[in-house]
Amino acid sequence: MKDCLAHARVALSNPEEVIARVCGHMVEHGGRAEERDGAHILHIHDAQARFTRDGDATLIEVTTKDLEGLYHMRSIIASHVLEFAEGPVPEIAWAGDGGDILRPPNFQILQVVGVRDVTPHMRRLTLSGADVARFAPTSALHLNILVQHPAASEPQWPTVGRNGLIQWADPEHRPLFRKYTVRSLDLAAGTLDIDFVLHADAGPGSTFAERAKPGDRVGIVGPGGGGLVEADWYLFAGDETALPAIARMLEHLPEGARGRAVIEVADAGDIQPLTVKADIEVEWLLRNGAPAGTTTLLADAVRGIAFPDDGSRVYAWAACEYQAFRAIRSCLREERRLQAHEHLAVAYWRRGEEGD
Ligand SMILES: Cc1cc2nc3c(=O)[nH]c(=O)nc-3n(C[C@H](O)[C@H](O)[C@H](O)COP(=O)(O)OP(=O)(O)OC[C@H]3O[C@@H](n4cnc5c(N)ncnc54)[C@H](O)[C@@H]3O)c2cc1C
């Protein structure tokens, strides 16, 4: 397949600094940077950005394997160039391939076709759309839901500007983004399920789920984020916001896998039956009246778990409120000495803060 190419000439008042900072930042996020024949070249997965001087301007050339990759690479480069540029905001106008990308390729509009409560605090929405199959791989489990602004006169859907970035017709009333997990898919029916925690101090995500009814349209962007990694022994730790991800990963684990799962929920009413072929011992931790994000239940449980010392490949996955995430991450890294490829610990929400 032919590579996709896009290029932009950008006037920067501090070009050397911008290029160094864009490359340095992306290297921190897993990219690789090199200098060759007077050019700075940044590699992100199989995409490339090449920075050279062109008279007074900086020439940025982006090469990717496909148009979706081109959309992402243009957007990553443009957003970081704008972030690190000093002085007047530089104009970025991409030329070359991708001129016909009018909407983000990972955006689609789904329709609510089912609403039911799985447990008292967990509402399942079934959404239907033309391309739910892109969410089938378990390597990327998450998506962003676009919750329409309450004051917007009509739903707003994202478009892509000449600078490669998302733009809104009415930026003041742009939708809010909230992250959720694809709990399950029915490819034959063309639907996917998302489980929403109905939480106290309801924000746009929780309120959207409370009010959703069949026929509503919802914009989503995805998939993204991490997913299931191959190992022999697993630890899964999470509160109810991570339950959809844990449940989906447990369903996909092969029979030979072993491990533990600790899941914190409000009370016994929020325990769900889980389907697990693998040899995973599941323990439910109940807050029994304590507000979410105020206990040390999850971190204490993780500290008490014995990891195998028989040479098994270990993988620990944890997602929860910020304070618990910090305690668990430090336990996994400092006490258990897990390497980067052996664990993923993420804050899924932070008590008292909005998650846009
Ligand atoms: C990768 C990823 C995947 C996620 N998957 C899911 C999922 O499948 N299902 C799911 O329900 N959530 C999921 N979450 C968590 C969800 O995005 C957050 O809980 C988000 O804050 C909810 O948005 P909101 O608009 O309801 O509340 P916000 O506007 O973000 O916050 C409003 C208030 O509610 C509080 N709050 C937020 N979440 C909770 C909570 N769970 N319990 C109590 N108080 C809370 C905040 O601290 C704040 O005070 C995921 C998060 C990430 C990063």
Side-chain angles (χ1 to χ4, degrees):
M1 198 194 295
K2 200 171 128 302
D3 281 350
C4 297
L5 303 168
H7 48 90
R9 283 183 89 251
V10 188
L12 295 168
S13 57
N14 57 335
E16 296 303 329
E17 190 192 337
V18 170
I19 294 167
R21 291 187 69 184
V22 171
C23 291
H25 181 82
M26 293 319 299
V27 166
E28 276 174 30
H29 287 82
R32 182 170 65 80
E34 60 171 330
E35 272 186 68
R36 207 194 311 147
D37 304 330
H40 293 263
I41 302 168
L42 175 64
H43 304 263
I44 303 176
H45 302 299
D46 55 8
Q48 251 182 39
R50 189 169 180 275
F51 301 84
T52 45
R53 298 291 295 149
D54 182 15
D56 285 345
T58 300
L59 178 63
I60 310 174
E61 294 162 296
V62 166
T63 313
T64 61
K65 295 285 171 216
D66 55 31
L67 274 181
E68 185 156 349
L70 192 73
Y71 162 74
H72 288 298
M73 195 66 174
R74 288 188 330 184
S75 155
I76 288 170
I77 299 300
S79 58
H80 288 98
V81 165
L82 291 176
E83 182 181 342
F84 297 129
E86 281 169 10
V89 179
E91 194 191 325
I92 302 175
W94 294 105
D97 295 329
D100 51 354
I101 302 177
L102 303 177
R103 290 209 187 274
N106 56 352
F107 164 78
Q108 53 182 308
I109 300 172
L110 304 183
Q111 192 172 41
V112 178
V113 292
V115 181
R116 77 176 178 96
D117 287 341
V118 182
T119 59
H121 297 102
M122 189 71 96
R123 179 155 300 177
R124 177 165 298 167
L125 300 190
T126 300
L127 307 175
S128 160
D131 187 18
V132 297
R134 64 188 280 121
F135 293 95
T138 50
S139 51
L141 300 175
H142 311 296
L143 49 71
N144 272 295
I145 289 228
L146 278 60
V147 184
Q148 296 296 329
H149 194 287
S153 51
E154 54 186 63
Q156 286 202 69
W157 310 121
T159 55
V160 178
R162 288 187 67 207
N163 61 5
L165 299 175
I166 286 182
Q167 57 185 22
W168 301 100
D170 177 5
E172 213 185 308
H173 298 126
R174 72 172 189 87
L176 294 162
F177 283 63
R178 289 292 183 273
K179 286 198 163 52
Y180 285 91
T181 304
V182 175
R183 168 66 185 84
S184 60
L185 288 145
D186 182 341
L187 292 179
T191 61
L192 56 79
D193 285 350
I194 301 178
D195 286 358
F196 293 76
V197 176
L198 303 177
H199 60 84
D201 195 12
S206 182
T207 308
F208 163 78
E210 272 169 41
R211 295 183 182 162
K213 52 184 189 325
D216 288 353
R217 291 193 306 160
V218 51
I220 59 158
V221 171
L228 196 52
V229 166
E230 206 182 305
D232 304 313
W233 188 93
Y234 291 89
L235 167 64
F236 297 99
D239 62 19
E240 52 268 68
T241 61
L243 176 51
I246 294 176
R248 183 157 171 214
M249 289 191 282
L250 288 180
E251 276 169 18
H252 281 86
L253 282 185
E255 255 172 46
R258 295 167 289 121
R260 297 279 303 269
V262 281
I263 306 165
E264 178 192 314
V265 291
D267 53 43
D270 278 304
I271 294 177
Q272 296 183 18
L274 299 173
T275 308
V276 201
K277 293 190 294 287
D279 180 13
I280 304 285
E281 186 187 329
V282 179
E283 183 185 357
W284 295 89
L285 309 169
L286 309 180
R287 286 193 299 276
N288 284 331
T294 62
T295 77
T296 59
L297 283 169
L298 203 54
D300 293 345
V302 168
R303 264 191 222 101
I305 288 172
F307 279 50
D309 56 4
D310 56 1
S312 302
R313 287 172 307 159
V314 165
Y315 192 72
W317 187 99
C320 49
E321 198 278 332
Y322 180 76
Q323 296 300 338
F325 140 76
R326 279 177 51 113
I328 292 171
R329 185 181 60 177
S330 109
C331 169
L332 298 177
R333 289 187 181 171
E334 281 142 41
E335 293 168 36
R336 303 296 178 189
R337 301 268 167 211
L338 295 189
Q339 302 299 307
H341 69 278
E342 294 175 311
H343 73 287
L344 177 80
V346 193
Y348 266 17
W349 62 285
R350 188 167 182 170
R351 193 170 150 77
E353 288 193 14
E354 293 174 5
D356 194 14

